[in-house]
Amino acid sequence: MVFEALSRLGSKADRILMYPEEWDTDIANITDRDSQLLQKAKTYYGAKLLPIKVRKFERNPSETVEGDNLTWETSATKFLAFNQTQYLRIIHLDSDVTVQQHMDDLFLLPSARVAMMRAYWNLPSVKSMTSMFILLEPSSVETDRLMAAAESKTRPHNDYDMEILNALYGDSAMILPHRNYGLVTGEFRSEDHHRYLGNNYEKWDPKRALREASLVHFSDWPIPKPWIMWPRNLLREKMPLCDINPGTKDETGCDNRDVWLELYNDFRRRRADICALLSVPAPEWPPRRRMNSSASGYG
């Protein structure tokens, strides 16, 4: 879906699709969706296919992993983008995004080993960077540094790709402005938008914010990722409220809700149209708590 968007939006950069090396591109039958989608990405959207070994974070064998941590367990795989030294620069995009504008202009920025956005939703108390997209200069030395951090047995158990990138590049990375580049879906559920706007005087306009954003990242805990259907009771609890008379027949000012719902519905439509994949059934909500384990969630 990311490659379809980049093709449709006219991006001129090469497109690299890293996929697990145990997959293949030989379509065995009509149900072989992995091979079909790899071939479609290559044939229709010009993707260069790159089989890779999926990398997992090193951890203590006694640790249990579930919920978000299970999702992030393989996020070290994105560090392999640093190893594509045939390129001067690469933009790495996460898969849980909607691309609205290509970002080829970023390749023209002054040289920097890494360029990332601030995780604006954590400001001002925490000044960290987000890995929703990374502008990077490939280097085998940097790849080794990143992999060593991921495979370290002394790594804090809740440190994943974003924490490692912040630890290694937090003091040296080029900081990209989040406005016009990256927006998280959780912003439409928020009642306070000054962190996104960067000031206290500008009026929040959800439709304008959506138009401005090159990339929208689906980050809405505890809402599941967009390829998973919503539990109805969770949707009732967490859906953005209208501004005036919310929850009544007279409610108005529902732009936040309308934009938010359409982002998810659009993702699901495109997933069905482009990938011929239906949504994953909704999980149980609230989740059952297991004995001797932490509660799980969605990132």
Side-chain angles (χ1 to χ4, degrees):
M1 291 167 63
V2 169
F3 295 110
E4 182 278 333
L6 292 172
S7 176
R8 172 168 41 83
L9 295 168
S11 172
K12 303 301 182 185
D14 281 0
R15 299 159 203 150
I16 306 171
L17 173 55
M18 296 189 294
Y19 67 95
E21 61 185 1
E22 58 268 23
W23 294 5
D24 63 63
T25 57
D26 297 325
I27 301 174
N29 52 59
I30 60 173
T31 63
D32 187 357
R33 297 301 295 136
D34 293 338
S35 298
Q36 290 172 6
L37 291 173
L38 288 173
Q39 286 288 4
K40 185 169 186 177
K42 177 182 178 180
T43 304
Y44 287 88
Y45 309 125
K48 299 177 183 294
L49 304 183
L50 180 65
I52 50 92
K53 181 179 180 180
V54 174
R55 301 301 181 97
K56 293 186 177 182
F57 285 98
E58 185 72 28
R59 62 176 55 260
N60 188 314
S62 63
E63 281 186 69
T64 58
V65 184
E66 57 183 310
D68 281 342
N69 291 353
L70 187 60
T71 300
W72 296 328
E73 186 76 356
T74 59
S75 62
T77 303
K78 72 173 57 173
F79 296 158
L80 295 177
F82 283 81
N83 208 33
Q84 306 311 308
T85 54
Q86 68 272 33
Y87 293 100
L88 296 177
R89 270 188 153 162
I90 286 176
I91 298 175
H92 180 278
L93 301 178
D94 279 348
S95 59
D96 53 347
V97 299
T98 286
V99 179
Q100 300 199 126
Q101 303 170 42
H102 72 69
M103 295 179 284
D104 289 5
D105 56 298
L106 293 178
F107 291 119
L108 303 178
L109 290 176
S111 177
R113 180 64 67 198
V114 169
M116 299 167 67
M117 287 175 13
R118 290 277 188 217
Y120 69 84
W121 51 92
N122 289 330
L123 294 173
S125 57
V126 179
K127 292 185 177 179
S128 61
M129 301 179 296
T130 173
S131 57
M132 74 165 73
F133 77 88
I134 311 165
L135 175 66
L136 62 94
E137 294 179 352
S139 161
S140 56
V141 173
E142 296 302 316
T143 305
D144 290 343
R145 288 182 72 206
L146 288 159
M147 288 304 176
E151 294 167 2
S152 171
K153 293 182 179 176
T154 61
R155 176 185 65 84
H157 75 281
N158 279 328
D159 277 11
Y160 292 96
D161 59 301
M162 191 164 73
E163 289 76 19
I164 288 174
L165 288 164
N166 274 279
L168 294 184
Y169 305 112
D171 294 331
S172 61
M174 178 188 295
I175 302 301
L176 300 174
H178 60 269
R179 289 189 66 171
N180 296 334
Y181 282 114
L183 174 66
V184 295
T185 50
E187 190 65 33
F188 299 100
R189 293 172 52 221
S190 175
E191 295 181 359
D192 182 359
H193 303 284
H194 81 275
R195 294 179 181 85
Y196 174 78
L197 295 172
N199 58 67
N200 289 312
Y201 58 82
E202 195 172 349
K203 184 178 179 181
W204 166 252
D205 182 340
K207 292 182 178 179
R208 176 184 173 187
L210 182 63
R211 287 194 305 268
E212 290 178 347
S214 298
L215 194 76
V216 180
H217 182 229
F218 289 89
S219 181
D220 245 324
W221 191 90
I223 299 292
K225 291 299 184 181
W227 52 83
I228 303 172
M229 290 304 295
W230 296 307
R232 289 187 178 276
N233 50 348
L234 175 61
L235 182 61
R236 284 193 297 269
E237 290 177 23
K238 302 300 182 182
M239 184 170 59
L241 298 176
C242 297
D243 296 334
I244 301 172
N245 298 320
T248 73
K249 62 182 180 61
D250 298 319
E251 62 183 8
T252 58
C254 304
D255 285 352
N256 281 303
R257 184 184 67 185
D258 295 344
V259 168
W260 186 82
L261 287 171
E262 180 55 24
L263 279 167
Y264 279 87
N265 290 332
D266 170 71
F267 187 99
R268 290 166 181 153
R269 282 194 301 267
R270 289 184 294 109
R271 189 170 185 265
D273 292 343
I274 298 167
C275 305
L277 292 173
L278 298 177
S279 297
V280 177
E284 182 180 24
W285 185 264
R288 295 180 183 177
R289 291 182 179 271
R290 299 178 182 179
M291 295 296 291
N292 301 321
S293 70
S294 60
S296 59
Y298 299 95

